[in-house]
Every structure is written in C-alpha cells, then in structure tokens.
Amino acid sequence: MSKFYLILLVVLMLQASRACESNNEEELLVRQQSDEYFAKAYGFTTDTWNALYNKPSPRLSDYANIYEGRTPLNKLRPSKNPFKNYFNRGESNLRYFLHVLMESIEMNQFQADQADEEENKLEGRFGGLGASLVNTGLFNNRFTPANTWRPLVTLAKLVPISVNPNSNNPLGTFNTCTSPSGDEGICTPGAVCSLFGGRPGSSCNQGQVCCINVVNSCGAIVTLNNTYWQTPTTALRNPCSLTVRMDPKFVEQSLKPICQIRLDFVSFTTSQPTAGTCTDTFQVGGVSNAVPTICGDNTGQHMYLHVPTSSNNPIDVQLMFNFASGTTINRSWNIKIAMLPCGTKYLAPVDCLQYFTAISGKVSSFNWMNVAGTRQLNSQNYNICFRTELISSQKATKMCLSPCTVTNGDAFSITTPPAVYLVGSGSNSIGFAPNPDDAKAAVNSAVGTTYTDQTRPSGITVATCLYDYLLIPGGRDANNVEADRYCGNELNPSPGYATFVGITCVGTNQVVEQPKVFISGTQASVQVCTPIKPFKLTYRTDGQETAVTEDLTTNTVRALADVGNTGFCLEYQER
C-alpha cells in the first residue's frame, strides 16, 4: 500500500503543477468537467419520503398539521467549506491538501475493512479504492458555484466506475434521513458531508451522518435531494436564482427518473403586493404545470412542480426571485427542495400544485395570514388536491370545509359581492345599488358566476364569482343548498335575496310590493361539504382589483372593485 500512496502523491503533485500553470479559461473547464464527473459518480436513494406516508411521525409543535409540519422554522447554519483555504496555491496550502488526502486514504481504508468484516466483502459501488478515494475526499460541493480548484479531475476521469444497484455500500446509498430538529437530509460519511458544504444533523447507520445540505447563494446549481436554499449571507443579487439540474446521466435520475419536485417554504418573506400585484416576485420555470407568481408571507406553504421525465427530455428547473426597488423590507427565505422519482405512491396527482395527505388540516391561499389588511394575490390559478384517506378502514366519502378561527385577519375574503338595482326600485339607474344596500352586500357571501335582473326586459347582468373564486365541486351545506363557485366575505352556498318596496298604484291608491334590490349571499359562514372524489379545490383570481366595465362587444360582464380581500384559510376534514 505504501507504493500506491507514493504513486498517488506523485500524480497529485504533477496535476497540481499542471493546474497552477493553466489559465483561467482552462480552470473553468476543469471545474465544469469535475462537476459532471461527480454527478455520474454520486447517487442517492430515490426512495425519498416513504417515512412520511407509510410511517407517520409525530407533528412538530410549530405547525398546525402533519403535512405542513415536516420542517421546523429554525434557520439552518451552513458550515464552512473545510477545503476553502487550500485552493490558494501556496506551498503551505499544498502541504495541507496532502495531509487531508492522507487522512482521506486512511479513513477509506478503515471503512473498507469494516465493510469487509460486516458485509462479507460487499462489492463497492464505485469499483475500487481509487475511485472511492476520488469520489469521497477530493471534490468540493458540486452544486455550489464556488471559486474552487480541483487538481485531480483528470485523474478522476481515468478511474473506471461501476454501479451495483444491489450494493448497500454506505458511500453510495444516500438514504433520506431526519435530524432530531426535524430537518431532512441524506446519509453520507462525515467527510463527504463536509465536502457538500453541509452540516451533520444526527447519526445514520454504518457510521454515517445525516447531512443537512444548504445552499445560501444566488446562481447555484442543485442536484442533491433534500437541499435547503436559504437567503444569501451576503448582499442580495437581483434577480436571485437557483437551478435544479435534471440530467439522465446522474445516477440518482437514471435509476429512477425524477418526475416531480416538491418545494417546502420553511420560511418565506418578501414585500407585500400592491393592489394585489406582486412587486417582489417568486417565479418557477421549466415545469409542465401552472405555477403562479407569489410574494409576501408564505411560510409553511408548499408546491409540487411537475417536470418532464428526466430520462427523456431533461429540462432544468429554475427558481427565481426578483425584487422591487425602493423597499426596505428584510427579505428572507428557506426553501427545501425534494426530488420525487417517477412511479412512487406519494407523487401529487396531475395538475395539482398542492397536495395534502392527512385526514384533517388547514389549507390557505398564498400570502394569507391571520393579520389585518389586504393579502389576496392577483393572477392565481391552480388546483389544490387531497388524498382520499381511510377512516375506520373505509375510504372517506366526503370532505368538509370551514373557515379557520382567526383573531385579527379574515378567514374568507374573495372579491366584493354586489347589490343590484331591480326594476321596482323606483330609479332609472341600472346595475349596482349604492348605500345602504351595497354595504349590506359587501360583507356577505356570494356564489355562482353572475346575477341577471330578470325583472327588466334586457336582463341586466353583473358578475358575482366570475373573476375571483374558490371552486368546491358539489359543495353543499347541511340543508343541501348547493353551489360550486364561492366568493365574497363568508363561505356559504346561499344564493342571496331580494328586498322589496311598496309602490302605490295611480288611481286605486293600492300599495303593491315590488322587488327593489338584490343582495348577494348572507352574513354568516357555514360548513360546506363535497362528496365528489378525488377531493379537489380550484383557486382563481384575475389580474386586477379595480372595477370591470361592461363591454358587450367582448362579452365582458361588469363587476365591482375589490376592497380589502385577504384570500382564504379553511380547515378541512375527511369523513
């Protein structure tokens, strides 16, 4: 073995000398090549979240339900890169590198001896000590765009790599794990975790650690499962983006191609919208499902991103923040990125941006919070899905929804319901009625798409839940009053009512009651249940909060301006 060490050290010094003489352009190519090699050489188990769905864990105290509560709100502390200093090309740094190399060789030899004793000389995943050495001890964090130097990249490309999918080699499994604090990571040797720029959260089997991977920079590239993207520690770049690289050459994606990416917003704070429109924006690109632009406060929310199968036409997924100028808000985020393989049972259904898998819990629109003020976002259009759960060994037959209990905010506020003049009002006006009738309607619920005044020959039509609404297919109350589209300031399927006024007939002085004003909905929320499976909600808002003017040439229906809308927060329960 001493001869092997000597030969390896000679090769190291030759490669270091060659790298020192190269120019910046060659150095950049070396980094890119090593990144690609490391992608091929390293994999992780794609069996990502079986523990969540097959072995439910206790809820965390910071969250309202099991689904939203996988990750606590404490901010992760990224570790320093232990190889940062030796990339300076001084002689002392070279000695440090050689010292680290020798420690890595000894560590790998010790692990190999242990594996031989416990696993009967189990076949190595990477095909030999040389490959294991290169892959575990000499490369910096592959997904961080650090200004790093990798002197053994050409040596690594010469080492043959074999992948044995039946091997339980501790260097190659990359099983998912959960630290005592609730953070999720991957199981790796401690030295590998350091090279990833992660921090050990707890212990795994066979002497490995639960490595919590953190990226806290703009322009980074992510390929590892269970990676946290956090607010950069330096000044924010604008825009600030991150790329989730999808490539069938990666071991983790070639064995089980990735079909979905789940984003968990462990924390998320940007500036509030202006009249419903985001000035700070968070956007997603490279996915096949509709993902709305969001902003504001979204801690505890999540998204499922549907991606083209990585083995066919891989397309990188981009996550991007854009920040408005002239604001002083302290923007911050911590986003957990999980890669979900095709064919697994915990994938979200097609076209579902959010997916809930508990019997009961809370669901809310993006930027909703239990605080006073306007919170609803414009241009939202997405589906929220719920897995049909077993209740007393039988599948649930219905799902019921009720507004959340609030102290400061509004649990249901989607568009402003209208009060509509009717023919018996004694006024020549048409359309929306003024105070006091519009004030009564504004705090009520509303349903349906439009209301048409049939008391007039022309049939005056105004919008109710035409532009902004929450769709609950087959939703009905305890009296079986049913509606699909819900909006207004209460959750109730009531269609509304008409007020009447007495009109004195000329000549007979007889008083006749005639309809005066139509008032939408009612002033109280009720529980709404739907028997239609699979259980699904659709949330939609248009691109404005201002009034809509009628235009018969484009079939545009008039609507009131929206005032103080907050979105929704609903408690759901399957029965």
Side-chain angles (χ1 to χ4, degrees), residues 316-344:
D316 290 346
V317 175
Q318 293 82 37
L319 312 180
M320 180 177 292
F321 284 94
N322 279 279
F323 306 116
S325 59
T327 59
T328 58
I329 186 172
N330 183 22
R331 303 174 177 95
S332 64
W333 64 86
N334 184 7
I335 304 174
K336 176 171 167 276
I337 303 167
M339 302 179 184
L340 312 183
C342 303
T344 51

Side-chain angles (χ1 to χ4, degrees), residues 26 34 157 206 424 435 498 512:
E26 292 174 337
S34 66
K157 296 177 72 67
Q206 298 176 314
N435 278 327
V512 178

Side-chain angles (χ1 to χ4, degrees), residues 361-381:
K362 290 183 180 180
V363 55
S364 61
S365 54
F366 291 109
N367 196 40
W368 183 91
M369 284 190 71
N370 185 12
V371 295
T374 302
R375 311 286 296 189
Q376 181 169 279
L377 303 181
N378 291 343
S379 303
Q380 304 291 289
N381 188 5

